[in-house]
Amino acid sequence: EATRGRNDDRTVIVATGDLFASAQQWSRAGFFYRQAFQQSQVSAIYQRYLDALMNATPANLPEAEAVLARLNDRVDREPGLLMARAWILQRRGRAEDAARDIQAALRRIDAGNVAEVQSWAGQFRRILPEPQPAIDTLTLLKRGVENPDWLDYLIAVTSAERPEGAETAISILRRLASASSLAPVREVSLRSLGLTLYGLNRFEEAAAVMADGVRRSPQDWELNNNLAFVLARHLNRPQEALAYAQRAAELAPSRAETLDTLGVVQMENGLLREAEQSLRRALEASESVVTRFAVLVHLADATLRTNTPEARAQALRHLDAAKALMDAAPPNAIPRPSVEDYEELRGKIGSP
């Protein structure tokens, strides 16, 4: 309905495609991206269109190849198009040709441009989604670059996806965080190190790493936010956490993540009215199912702690809304820690 009569409005067409893509309805998303691509061949559009074609079930390889044919004079010059061609070649069973395009794309990105590196890395993992083949290829790619720090970083975060690779990941990330000659690599390595330790329930170590990150980058809302959450929820140091949570919310006042953490920290400090206010603002700002689910559970917890006559019924309503989100989401879309928080609180409250 939104696009009817507005076939020349690329913004609306792309936004409609994005809605279907967010729901992983790739064929429908591709229908709208195709319209946009016919009007403009800028990278933001062709990448969306190619992603929709390749993520469809089955992948629409002939149409993806037709897109590249239309952009033929640009393919060998643009990293994104080289990676798209590598993705197609990999699907066609031409792994050696795909590897050449992956390497060619790597040579064309600026190691100092984090956005370019992240884009390349994201496309790389779509081509090689399994950890070990990805690690093997990244190791081979190190031979052809002057500074392998970004590749070592990607090896580390890929290794961390498997329990047996955690210690290798931690060792690499510690080295890069302290000694990489590239400032962006030092920053992302420190951040990933803290999150890796957190994922292993090594909360004291995670907090120490995150605190080091805050000292290096005091205006980084994410580092402040993560440190506050670990201190309050896992180390029983809510008073210490409050200043970090407040700073994160000041630095990113419209992000659901910072408002959620602020609400949790306020709750753990017994500031229940303030916590409810922060969590309601977080709920309004939530843009993803995962974030909204977590906020609803935290809001239920804060509401229950007010111990008012209507608190239990209100908390149950929040948990029911969270369950509806979980039931509608794809399997395993909600992180296990959030599900465990939900189950614990549901058990504490009991049935309606």
Side-chain angles (χ1 to χ4, degrees):
E1 287 295 325
T3 60
R4 187 172 297 169
R6 303 178 68 175
N7 292 337
D8 60 343
D9 191 334
R10 287 199 305 275
T11 302
V12 173
I13 293 170
V14 171
T16 306
D18 288 348
L19 284 174
F20 286 112
S22 67
Q24 298 186 352
Q25 296 185 30
W26 297 110
S27 294
R28 290 187 174 185
F31 172 81
F32 291 99
Y33 293 149
R34 184 173 186 273
Q35 293 181 49
F37 178 72
Q38 289 172 339
Q39 298 177 31
S40 172
Q41 290 77 53
V42 297
S43 62
I45 292 176
Y46 75 62
Q47 287 288 4
R48 283 175 164 87
Y49 188 26
L50 287 167
D51 287 352
L53 294 169
M54 295 298 291
N55 283 311
T57 305
N60 192 340
L61 297 179
E63 183 61 24
E65 288 168 334
V67 170
L68 291 186
R70 183 167 177 179
L71 301 169
N72 183 56
D73 61 326
R74 296 163 55 183
V75 173
D76 290 327
R77 293 184 284 109
E78 297 187 21
L81 290 173
L82 282 164
M83 293 299 281
R85 188 169 67 187
W87 195 3
I88 295 169
L89 290 168
Q90 186 74 17
R91 290 289 188 92
R92 291 291 193 193
R94 297 168 57 185
E96 291 186 6
D97 292 332
R100 278 192 287 272
D101 276 349
I102 289 170
Q103 187 171 50
L106 179 63
R107 288 173 178 157
R108 284 163 175 76
I109 64 173
D110 177 5
N113 188 320
V114 177
E116 285 190 16
V117 175
Q118 289 177 333
S119 177
W120 180 90
Q123 291 173 300
F124 174 78
R125 289 309 304 277
R126 283 180 293 190
I127 299 167
L128 295 172
E130 294 300 318
Q132 194 56 54
I135 292 169
D136 292 342
T137 301
L138 290 166
T139 302
L140 289 173
L141 288 171
K142 287 173 59 177
R143 300 175 184 174
V145 298
E146 183 176 341
N147 188 327
D149 285 358
W150 271 120
L151 294 173
D152 279 334
Y153 168 75
L154 295 173
I155 289 171
V157 296
T158 306
S159 298
E161 294 175 13
R162 303 176 301 174
E164 64 271 23
E167 290 305 322
T168 296
I170 290 169
S171 176
I172 295 172
L173 291 171
R174 286 193 192 280
R175 173 177 61 80
L176 293 173
S178 62
S180 174
S181 61
L182 299 171
V185 174
R186 292 196 301 272
E187 293 170 8
V188 297
S189 296
L190 191 69
R191 191 187 310 275
S192 293
L193 176 59
L195 293 175
T196 300
L197 292 166
Y198 176 84
L200 294 170
N201 296 335
R202 291 161 62 172
F203 300 123
E204 285 285 1
E205 292 176 80
V209 169
M210 292 172 184
D212 185 21
V214 170
R215 283 191 290 271
R216 296 190 197 186
S217 305
Q219 300 304 307
D220 187 311
W221 70 265
E222 191 173 5
L223 286 170
N224 280 278
N225 187 71
N226 292 345
L227 177 57
F229 191 84
V230 174
L231 290 171
R233 290 308 292 265
H234 298 291
L235 295 177
N236 195 28
R237 289 150 62 182
Q239 291 181 324
E240 183 181 348
L242 188 56
Y244 296 112
Q246 289 171 334
R247 185 184 303 164
E250 290 168 0
L251 292 168
S254 60
R255 296 195 69 99
E257 298 94 325
T258 60
L259 296 169
D260 178 46
T261 296
L262 179 60
V264 168
V265 173
Q266 289 168 330
M267 175 174 64
E268 297 298 341
N269 277 284
L271 304 171
L272 299 181
R273 181 177 297 179
E274 293 89 341
E276 282 194 288
Q277 291 174 348
S278 296
L279 291 167
R280 290 187 187 282
R281 289 171 57 204
L283 196 60
E284 292 176 0
S286 297
E287 296 181 350
S288 73
V289 170
V290 171
T291 302
R292 192 171 184 83
F293 179 90
V295 173
L296 282 165
V297 174
H298 295 152
L299 183 56
D301 193 0
T303 300
L304 187 65
R305 294 191 195 196
T306 63
N307 205 28
T308 61
E310 65 275 10
R312 181 176 178 276
Q314 289 178 345
L316 278 171
R317 284 196 290 273
H318 296 318
L319 290 180
D320 287 343
K323 186 176 187 303
L325 287 176
M326 182 164 55
D327 291 344
N332 303 317
I334 308 297
R336 187 61 202 165
S338 292
V339 175
E340 290 172 354
D341 286 346
Y342 164 85
E343 291 172 344
E344 180 181 354
L345 194 56
R346 174 68 80 171
K348 186 184 300 184
I349 296 176
S351 303

